[in-house]
Amino acid sequence: MNIPFCLPEEITPEIFLQNYWQKKPLVIRNGLPQIVGLFTPKDILDLALEEDVVARLVQCHHIDDEKQWQVKISPFCEQDFENLPEFWSVLVQNLEQWSPELGELWQAFGFIPQWQRDDIMVSYAPKGGSVGKHYDEYDVFLVQGYGQRRWQLGKWCDPSTEFNPNQPIRIFDDMGELVIDEVMNPGDILYVPSRMAHYGVAETDCLTFSFGLRFPSSVELLDKVNHHLQHQQNIDISQLNVPFRLGIDSQPNGLLDPKTVANFKEQLTYLLQTSDQFDYLFLHSVATAVSSRRYEQLEIDEAFYPDELQTALEDGSWLIQDSNVKIVYTENPLRIYVNGEWIDELNEMEADLLVRIANGDTISWNKLASKTQDQNELELLLDCLCDWLDCGWILLNEAE
């Protein structure tokens, strides 16, 4: 299924990225009609009971005219959904893991690089259900899939924003001046920039799908740099492994004075800014960080064989990237990363094919046959594609 970008006709990807991305929200009416009818509330409640699902049950109890929130983490049993208060929600993470049809809808947001994708979360709530007034450290497209939800968007927040005390979730009461107060219908999209206060309340039984996008934090990047420094992984760090040379002033024998510490910092910063080896190491660290998944990928039960794959492709089926995985590549040098791992045993033909898949290309039999010189090359490439299918990197879309 080829899904166009979800933006309104008058807003190109360039306009969105320049004027809206991380700057201001946007309501897109009927931006993703393909999501309507994919799931019902019962589908999500049944899925939340599955053993391998990552989900949260959020309840709001009214005690002495005050709200007290309660959060339970999966796994759940049927008794967890009995005797619930009037207002509650269940949130299921990584929903594309369970629905390839839903995962294909990432195409609607293809104007954002795939390395920023986090996951698709769904929130079910009966009428009045909510998870409170809050903000997130990631950008999100909120897509209404079933029923209606009212959204209010207000002030910009930051790490100093105070949350209500003694609550298990990060919520606050002050939304500031509202900039959006709209009811979303099935197929509608609301873009919420990171750190903007928002508050959603179910008008009816409803499902809201969150297509989340995030950047790695400085701590995550430093952790990756430290990991690769320790393991090196064929990266030469001799240029970085040199002792500093520092002059010192007269000072007490046991004192590490601020001037010396500042000198260390200055020399370290200069070394990192001027070292080609560190640039190479940092590129590797960033690539592994942004291509990593937050959730463990389910194993593929089905096995694929080259002759069966060839027959399917000849009959009109095609291959696409599985939206469960992140496939990211760098240039100069060309390196391909899948789910946080550098795939370093690819020949030129395989690497070219994986890059095309990462960029959204579909692989048909004609495209595949045109890339090979002889039958031996074709058989090797079919073997490789079967391995990628078994690993869950790509999907076979069967011809109707």
Side-chain angles (χ1 to χ4, degrees):
M1 180 168 55
N2 186 24
I3 299 171
F5 292 161
C6 64
L7 297 172
E9 289 185 6
E10 68 276 12
I11 299 180
T12 65
E14 292 75 19
I15 291 174
F16 177 83
L17 294 173
Q18 180 176 349
N19 298 337
Y20 292 89
W21 179 248
Q22 299 190 331
K23 296 183 179 72
K24 60 182 180 180
L26 177 65
V27 174
I28 309 171
R29 295 295 181 184
N30 201 34
L32 196 57
Q34 297 88 347
I35 203 168
V36 179
L38 277 185
F39 296 91
T40 66
K42 184 179 185 304
D43 295 329
I44 299 305
L45 292 174
D46 288 344
L47 183 61
L49 292 171
E50 295 288 336
E51 182 179 355
D52 295 326
V53 165
V54 178
R56 289 168 289 160
L57 175 61
V58 180
Q59 303 176 51
C60 182
H61 299 269
H62 291 263
I63 302 174
D64 297 330
D65 295 328
E66 291 188 2
K67 293 181 179 180
Q68 180 60 48
W69 296 84
Q70 179 182 348
V71 179
K72 180 175 175 61
I73 308 297
S74 59
F76 298 132
C77 62
E78 292 185 0
Q79 287 73 24
D80 291 315
F81 293 94
E82 297 176 356
N83 302 316
L84 292 171
E86 182 179 4
F87 304 122
W88 58 278
S89 299
V90 63
L91 300 93
V92 178
Q93 300 286 162
N94 195 30
L95 196 62
E96 63 266 56
Q97 180 90 318
W98 306 94
S99 172
E101 294 82 8
L102 180 68
E104 287 187 10
L105 299 188
W106 270 119
Q107 296 177 53
F109 309 98
F111 48 91
I112 308 293
Q114 69 161 292
W115 61 260
Q116 293 185 42
R117 295 179 188 171
D118 190 19
D119 74 324
I120 304 174
M121 181 190 74
V122 64
S123 169
Y124 165 70
K127 183 178 180 179
S130 175
V131 293
K133 302 170 182 177
H134 66 286
Y135 79 92
D136 299 309
E137 289 286 359
Y138 55 88
D139 296 81
V140 65
F141 291 91
L142 299 168
V143 185
Q144 197 64 25
Y146 182 97
Q148 291 79 32
R149 191 184 294 258
R150 179 185 178 187
W151 285 102
Q152 295 178 327
L153 274 61
K155 67 181 180 180
W156 290 98
C157 305
D158 60 46
S160 67
T161 300
E162 293 187 4
F163 297 100
N164 293 348
N166 304 318
Q167 298 289 357
I169 54 178
R170 303 194 317 165
I171 57 172
F172 44 70
D173 297 320
D174 180 19
M175 288 281 290
E177 182 180 354
L178 296 183
V179 296
I180 281 182
D181 189 347
E182 299 277 356
V183 173
M184 298 289 110
N185 298 305
D188 290 346
I189 301 174
L190 174 62
Y191 165 64
V192 182
S194 60
R195 295 190 174 181
M196 175 166 268
H198 51 286
Y199 178 45
V201 180
E203 295 279 295
T204 63
D205 279 16
C206 75
L207 298 175
T208 304
F209 297 82
S210 302
F211 290 73
L213 301 133
R214 70 171 71 222
F215 292 88
S217 69
S218 56
V219 171
E220 289 173 312
L221 289 182
L222 288 172
D223 182 65
K224 291 293 184 182
V225 169
N226 179 58
H227 173 82
H228 295 313
L229 276 172
Q230 291 183 23
H231 296 87
Q232 299 184 25
Q233 294 188 338
N234 301 321
I235 297 176
D236 181 13
I237 61 168
S238 59
Q239 206 180 77
L240 303 175
N241 193 24
V242 293
F244 293 121
R245 299 175 63 84
L246 302 173
I248 56 173
D249 298 324
S250 177
Q251 55 191 257
N253 192 50
L255 176 66
L256 177 62
D257 71 304
K259 182 178 178 181
T260 298
V261 175
N263 201 340
F264 271 118
K265 180 180 178 181
E266 181 180 346
Q267 290 204 33
L268 177 60
T269 301
Y270 178 78
L271 177 62
L272 299 184
Q273 288 177 336
T274 57
S275 168
D276 292 339
Q277 289 182 354
F278 181 75
D279 288 345
Y280 191 72
L281 174 69
F282 191 68
L283 174 64
H284 184 55
S285 300
V286 170
T288 56
V290 302
S291 63
S292 296
R293 288 170 46 87
R294 278 206 301 151
Y295 301 100
E296 184 176 350
Q297 187 175 3
L298 294 177
E299 294 184 1
I300 305 297
D301 293 331
E302 184 179 3
F304 293 86
Y305 300 95
D307 55 341
E308 296 175 353
L309 176 59
Q310 179 173 341
T311 299
L313 292 173
E314 289 176 335
D315 289 343
S317 299
W318 66 95
L319 297 164
I320 59 170
Q321 177 182 342
D322 190 327
S323 60
N324 273 310
V325 307
K326 288 184 178 181
I327 305 176
V328 173
Y329 65 91
T330 64
E331 297 177 326
N332 301 320
L334 173 62
R335 280 187 165 186
I336 300 176
Y337 297 79
V338 181
N339 289 348
E341 297 291 335
W342 170 29
I343 311 303
D344 61 345
E345 296 181 353
L346 300 171
N347 61 38
E348 183 177 349
M349 183 171 55
E350 293 165 350
D352 177 70
L353 193 61
L354 204 51
V355 165
R356 290 172 58 186
I357 291 172
N359 285 331
D361 199 1
T362 58
I363 305 303
S364 64
W365 175 250
N366 288 338
K367 290 180 182 178
L368 189 64
S370 67
K371 292 194 64 67
T372 55
Q373 300 293 326
D374 53 43
Q375 183 63 27
N376 184 54
E377 273 193 357
L378 179 60
E379 290 175 357
L380 291 174
L381 198 52
L382 285 168
D383 278 336
C384 182
L385 289 170
C386 286
D387 288 340
W388 297 352
L389 284 163
D390 291 339
C391 291
W393 298 358
I394 57 177
L395 287 174
L396 178 64
N397 275 6
E398 296 184 0
E400 297 181 357

